[in-house]
Amino acid sequence: MAEQTVICPNCGTTNQLTNKFCAHCGFDLTQAIAVVKAAADPQKALYVQAKEALAAGDFSKAIDGFNQLGAYTDAPDQLAKAKAGFAEAQQRQRERLYGEGLDAFSHGDLTTAAARFQQVAGFQDAEAKLALVKKAQAAAAAEAAAAAKQKQAADYDAAYRQGLAGAQAATTTSDLQRYLTYLAQFTGYQDGAAQLAQFQAKYTRLVEQEKAAHAVGARRRNRILIVAGVAVVIVGGGAFAWHSHQAAAAALADKVTAQRATNAKSYNGLPSDTKKDVKTMMATYHANPKDYIYKVKATAADYTVVGYTFRGPDTSKDKLPKSGTRVYDATAIYRR
């Protein structure tokens, strides 16, 4: 029988099977020798693998190997050891899973607890513990549903209160109309119908107030138009004597210029709102605000009484006058 050899997996040198290390590079040949011996004796190789699996705690692999060996040497005894080890490992695993289930249950982790007790069904009182976990899960689900319902009710009430606050603060019909539409969805909630009726009454009052305010504005505009009409009469009315002499016309022009400077001082002394109204009226009818002297006769919270006197040429346009000035006194009331 030829002597067996082993090839070094590191350098490829052929070594005697009795060499534990490569004669060329010193590489450890233990595993390579085991492969060679296994090839020479398959049953012995399987036996060695099963023994190694048993030692490593891989009981399933060990049981499979010893089963294949049958009555080879002490394979039956080793198979019994592997089965016993497997049973012990399963017992330890069940105990571990059961303990994890108890720990999860005590900390409120019902999902993990249920999974662990299901994995060890039939072990100790795992099934009874699983029933307790399911009961706790049902209670937790009911509690969560109740909390969600309570939150929904709170949110609904908050939305209702927000609508009431908005309607209460609304000062215009357009704003209030939006909240009336919003509150219409709460007519069946608490005093929603009564509140809606109250705000509808408020809406009616706001409509009347806005109409009254519009009427006041219209009256103010009409007063301005009336005063403007008087200005037109003042500007356009009357005929003045013509000056035939050029020197007299020039002297009159100087007089009008000086008078307008004086008039401008009285105009600038008017309240700003009144000046705007006067300027608007004069522009509408092509009159010159500088052709009048103004005097505030009285003031109140919402109006100003202004007296004005015409001091200007025969035309309201800013041209060289061809006649003398004339006097016209009038009084106007301007709303603030």
Side-chain angles (χ1 to χ4, degrees), residues 267-280:
Y267 173 77
N268 292 333
L270 294 175
S272 60
D273 291 343
T274 304
K275 285 197 294 185
K276 291 180 181 178
D277 288 340
V278 170
K279 188 174 182 180
T280 299

Side-chain angles (χ1 to χ4, degrees), residues 18-317:
T18 57
N19 292 356
K20 292 184 178 181
F21 299 95
C22 178
H24 178 71
C25 67
F27 186 78
D28 188 349
L29 300 176
T30 302
Q31 291 184 354
I33 292 171
V35 171
V36 172
K37 290 182 177 180
D41 188 353
Q43 278 192 311
K44 184 176 181 180
L46 180 59
Y47 179 82
V48 171
Q49 291 175 1
K51 287 275 289 186
E52 291 176 349
L54 179 60
D58 188 353
F59 301 109
S60 296
K61 183 177 181 180
I63 291 172
D64 182 63
F66 291 128
N67 272 328
Q68 294 182 52
L69 289 170
Y72 180 79
T73 64
D74 63 345
D77 295 334
Q78 297 298 332
L79 177 60
K81 291 180 181 180
K83 288 181 177 180
F86 180 78
E88 290 177 2
Q90 283 191 320
Q91 178 69 11
R92 287 193 299 271
Q93 183 179 23
R94 284 193 293 267
E95 290 175 352
R96 179 180 59 80
L97 293 174
Y98 180 81
E100 290 178 359
L102 291 176
D103 185 65
F105 192 17
S106 65
H107 288 85
D109 185 357
L110 301 179
T111 301
T112 300
R116 294 297 180 268
F117 290 134
Q118 285 176 342
Q119 288 177 292
V120 293
F123 178 75
Q124 295 184 10
D125 60 346
E127 294 181 359
K129 289 294 191 296
L130 179 59
L132 291 175
V133 171
K134 289 183 176 180
K135 184 177 180 180
Q137 286 177 322
E143 183 177 352
K149 185 176 181 180
Q150 184 177 5
K151 183 179 184 303
Q152 183 180 14
D155 291 345
Y156 190 80
D157 186 74
Y160 173 62
R161 301 298 169 189
Q162 183 179 3
L164 292 179
Q168 186 67 38
T171 57
T172 65
T173 54
S174 59
D175 287 343
L176 184 55
Q177 181 60 56
R178 290 190 295 107
Y179 285 106
L180 289 176
T181 302
Y182 178 79
L183 289 173
Q185 62 184 313
F186 297 98
T187 53
Y189 179 70
Q190 294 184 2
D191 59 345
Q195 291 285 1
L196 183 62
Q198 291 181 13
F199 288 124
Q200 286 172 338
K202 177 182 177 180
Y203 180 83
T204 301
R205 292 194 299 273
L206 286 178
V207 169
E208 295 302 323
Q209 291 174 7
E210 290 179 359
K211 286 182 179 179
H214 180 75
V216 169
R219 286 196 296 272
R220 180 182 180 185
R221 289 190 294 274
N222 289 338
R223 282 195 296 272
I224 294 175
L225 292 176
I226 291 172
V227 173
V230 173
V232 171
V233 173
I234 294 172
V235 172
F240 296 91
W242 290 84
H243 291 270
S244 59
H245 197 275
Q246 184 65 30
L252 180 59
D254 292 339
K255 181 180 179 181
V256 169
T257 300
Q259 183 63 52
R260 282 179 172 173
T262 301
N263 296 349
K265 293 180 180 180
S266 68
Y267 173 77
N268 292 333
L270 294 175
S272 60
D273 291 343
T274 304
K275 285 197 294 185
K276 291 180 181 178
D277 288 340
V278 170
K279 188 174 182 180
T280 299
M281 179 264 291
M282 294 295 180
T284 302
Y285 294 96
H286 306 291
N288 192 335
K290 296 180 179 180
D291 288 341
Y292 298 84
I293 292 179
Y294 306 91
K295 182 178 181 181
V296 177
K297 294 184 175 182
T299 60
D302 59 348
Y303 64 85
T304 300
V305 179
V306 178
Y308 58 94
T309 302
F310 180 78
R311 289 287 190 276
D314 64 331
T315 176
S316 62
K317 296 182 179 179

